[in-house]
């Protein structure tokens, strides 16, 4: 059984009724890369919905975590942008007393462990948890202790028995990746000291809506959090927000800092964005978002048709989940764009789901550069452009699809 709650129209946070915001059609899960073009894959709906009661924005239809993550291929990239973000987050947490040199830091969804690797010399101990067995193995090989499992109540209890309670639990871009965030918050509360801090980082729904980042919508991203919806979710688990900060990483992210207990001090940052959330998280704003999304689809479709009709070659850059949403929604496939360039070795030779575009290495791309790169990893635009130019390629131009279609 792949599906959880298909066709439901109720909020997974507060159980109130929801209403549809955007329908992107059906698509295979974005990280289900194929070994051959003729490999058959199942597609599932990508329908975004909104709860006016608590402000939650979520996928209507969710997939089982076991299906999505046991054979996961996404590996956190080595990126100067991410390194700068790690520095920013670490400095903030240390300066404001959320972390110390003695802290035991636990990270569910730690992937290959780059964040824990970055901070481990500044804290006491680190431990990662990730369900993708191959990726967890790579983290352990690199010296970042990582448990390969889903972060749930039983795993949290095991961790506390074997490692003690955590001073800080850091859930970076994973609380949105589970059909039941209640299960993960329950586990985090069990694993955390009473005076400890829970740090949650995810794409911020305001950035998604305001910047027309519809490609952030894929089967792994089951929730799109706001301060309002996060306050509701935490409150149901006896926790409260104490601080909020913003980051430009991944197209605009929000970092929530929470503690146990419903009573206690909170910073002004928790309330600073409430007027903007009220302005941009409503029916009118969602309708405008859906309209702009359709406009991007039409304009990108027209541009690709025009360029390929003129005999121009195009490759995508970035075998990303967001890129697969973009390609499948717009209707672009290997007949027009045969190759996708990516730096992740385990993706080379694979085939993108739906579009059937082959993933090649950056070395292969340098040997035969296209006329245009469609930046499916547009959030790394500056790094990609610099990398291409530094390789001696001054020929290729770049198509940036979000927030609107442009050539740079």
């Amino acid at each position: 059984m792949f599906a959880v709650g298909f066709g439901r129209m109720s909020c997974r946070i507060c159980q109130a009724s929801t209403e549809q915001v955007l329908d992107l059609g059906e698509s295979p899960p974005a990280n289900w890369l194929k070994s051959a073009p003729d490999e058959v894959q199942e597609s599932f709906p990508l329908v975004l919905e909104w709860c006016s009661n608590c402000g939650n924005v979520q996928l209507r239809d969710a997939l089982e975590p076991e299906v999505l993550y046991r054979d996961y291929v996404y590996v956190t990239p080595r990126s100067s942008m991410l390194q700068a973000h790690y520095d920013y987050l670490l400095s903030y947490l240390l300066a404001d007393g959320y972390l110390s040199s003695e802290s035991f830091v636990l990270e569910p969804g730690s992937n290959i462990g780059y964040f824990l690797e970055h901070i481990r010399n500044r804290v006491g101990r680190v431990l990662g948890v990730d369900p993708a067995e191959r990726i967890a193995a790579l983290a352990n090989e690199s010296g970042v202790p990582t448990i390969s499992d889903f972060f749930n109540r039983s795993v949290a209890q095991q961790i506390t028995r074997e490692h003690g309670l955590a001073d800080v639990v850091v859930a970076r871009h994973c609380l949105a990746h589970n059909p039941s965030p209640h299960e993960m918050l329950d586990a985090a509360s069990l694993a955390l000291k009473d005076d400890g801090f829970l740090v949650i980082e995810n794409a911020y729904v305001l950035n998604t809506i305001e910047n027309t980042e519809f490609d952030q919508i894929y089967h792994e991203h089951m929730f799109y959090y706001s301060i309002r919806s996060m306050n509701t979710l935490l409150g149901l688990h006896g926790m409260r927000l104490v601080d909020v900060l913003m980051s430009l990483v991944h197209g605009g992210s929000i970092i929530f800092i929470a503690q146990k207990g419903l009573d206690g001090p909170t910073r002004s940052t928790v309330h600073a964005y409430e007027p903007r959330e009220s302005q941009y998280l409503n029916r009118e704003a969602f309708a405008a978002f859906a309209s702009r999304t359709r406009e991007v689809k039409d304009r990108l479709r027209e541009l690709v048709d025009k360029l390929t009709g003129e005999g121009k070659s195009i490759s995508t850059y970035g075998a990303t989940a967001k890129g697969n949403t973009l390609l499948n929604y717009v209707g672009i496939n290997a007949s027009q764009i045969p190759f996708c360039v990516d730096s992740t070795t385990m993706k080379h030779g694979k085939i993108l789901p739906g579009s059937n575009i082959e993933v090649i290495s950056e070395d292969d791309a340098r040997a035969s550069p296209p006329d245009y790169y469609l930046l499916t990893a547009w959030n790394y635009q500056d790094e990609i452009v610099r990398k291409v130019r530094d390789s001696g390629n001054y020929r290729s131009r770049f198509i940036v699809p979000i927030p609107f279609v442009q050539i740079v």
Side-chain angles (χ1 to χ4, degrees):
M1 180 65 174
F2 284 1
V4 178
F6 261 41
R8 67 181 289 165
M9 294 291 285
S10 61
C11 177
R12 291 188 180 89
I13 290 179
C14 74
Q15 308 307 313
S17 296
T18 55
E19 53 194 270
Q20 182 172 307
V21 170
L22 181 65
D23 186 347
L24 296 177
E26 293 197 354
S27 178
N31 278 301
W32 280 12
L33 301 190
K34 302 194 294 185
S35 298
D38 59 355
E39 184 179 319
V40 177
Q41 287 183 322
E42 191 170 357
S43 292
F44 304 93
L46 280 176
V47 177
L48 195 68
E49 58 182 18
W50 170 61
C51 173
S52 61
N53 183 57
C54 73
N56 176 36
V57 178
Q58 65 179 26
L59 280 190
R60 185 192 69 193
D61 308 307
L63 298 180
E64 293 279 7
E66 285 278 353
V67 172
L68 287 174
Y69 301 122
R70 280 299 185 192
D71 196 28
Y72 203 46
V73 295
Y74 173 77
V75 175
T76 307
R78 288 284 189 187
S79 158
S80 58
M81 178 188 293
L82 283 180
Q83 295 297 310
H85 174 64
Y86 298 159
D87 283 334
Y88 164 68
L89 181 56
L90 175 61
S91 297
Y92 189 91
L93 294 175
L94 286 170
D96 286 62
Y98 302 122
L99 266 182
S100 77
S101 60
E102 305 299 320
S103 294
F104 169 32
V105 180
L106 173 65
E107 186 184 13
S110 53
N111 198 262
I112 203 166
Y114 286 158
F115 175 69
L116 294 180
E117 178 185 87
H118 193 84
I119 72 168
R120 63 183 171 186
N121 292 330
R122 303 288 300 276
V123 299
R125 293 179 291 142
V126 300
L127 179 66
V129 183
D130 199 280
E133 294 174 1
R134 287 185 298 171
I135 291 173
L138 291 172
N140 281 304
E141 288 171 12
S142 69
V144 177
T146 303
I147 297 169
S148 181
D149 212 332
F150 289 96
F151 187 61
N152 53 33
R153 188 179 185 88
S154 63
V155 170
Q157 289 170 333
Q158 174 193 338
I159 289 170
T160 59
R161 286 195 303 269
E162 298 177 3
H163 302 273
L165 292 167
D167 298 285
V168 179
V169 174
V170 180
R172 298 184 54 257
H173 299 275
C174 66
L175 191 65
H177 299 163
N178 189 303
S180 177
H182 299 288
E183 182 178 19
M184 184 170 284
L185 280 180
D186 184 38
S189 182
L190 278 173
L192 193 64
K193 290 180 179 177
D194 286 343
D195 60 349
F197 294 96
L198 172 62
V199 180
I200 300 166
E201 179 182 326
N202 272 109
Y204 187 27
V205 69
L206 274 191
N207 295 107
T208 302
I209 301 304
E210 290 180 295
N211 300 330
T212 321
E213 297 172 1
F214 67 89
D215 58 343
Q216 296 272 21
I217 301 166
Y218 46 91
H219 295 100
E220 292 160 28
H221 283 182
M222 302 177 198
F223 293 87
Y224 303 79
Y225 290 113
S226 62
I227 295 171
R228 180 184 168 198
S229 66
M230 182 58 69
N231 257 324
T232 301
L233 176 61
L234 288 168
L236 292 171
H237 292 268
M239 303 183 82
R240 73 186 190 284
L241 278 177
V242 297
D243 201 357
V244 167
L245 62 153
M246 301 293 174
S247 168
L248 295 176
V249 73
H250 297 309
S253 295
I254 186 167
I255 296 118
F256 305 99
I257 301 174
Q259 264 193 312
K260 295 180 181 179
L262 297 176
D263 298 320
T266 61
R267 294 195 171 186
S268 60
T269 52
V270 173
H271 309 288
Y273 293 88
E274 287 177 351
R276 283 187 63 228
E277 290 193 359
S278 297
Q279 180 180 356
Y280 290 104
L281 298 179
N282 54 51
R283 289 179 183 87
E284 293 76 17
F286 286 128
F289 167 62
S291 177
R292 294 194 306 272
T293 295
R294 290 188 292 270
E295 185 176 343
V296 170
K297 176 182 180 178
D298 293 342
R299 292 193 175 183
L300 184 57
R301 177 77 263 171
E302 291 169 4
L303 178 60
V304 170
D305 286 346
K306 176 179 179 291
L307 293 176
T308 55
E310 294 171 351
K312 303 296 185 183
S313 58
I314 308 174
S315 293
T316 68
Y317 210 118
T320 60
K322 58 164 54 76
N324 289 325
T325 291
L326 178 78
L327 293 168
N328 290 323
Y329 175 62
V330 174
I332 296 170
N333 57 45
S335 67
Q336 292 179 300
I337 300 181
F339 300 114
C340 172
V341 182
D342 197 274
S343 61
T344 307
T345 304
M346 70 171 63
K347 294 183 180 181
H348 297 161
K350 298 290 187 180
I351 307 297
L352 298 185
S355 65
N356 272 358
I357 295 171
E358 181 184 352
V359 183
I360 63 173
S361 70
E362 291 172 318
D363 288 340
D364 288 338
R366 280 191 287 270
S368 183
D371 296 307
Y372 292 86
Y373 280 118
L374 170 58
L375 294 184
T376 40
W378 52 263
N379 49 316
Y380 293 108
Q381 175 183 335
D382 292 343
E383 285 189 37
I384 291 172
V385 172
R386 183 167 57 250
K387 188 184 293 187
V388 169
R389 296 299 184 235
D390 287 348
S391 74
N393 176 1
Y394 294 94
R395 169 175 175 259
S396 299
R397 299 178 73 187
F398 301 89
I399 303 168
V400 183
I402 304 294
F404 54 86
V405 178
Q406 58 179 318
I407 297 176
V408 299

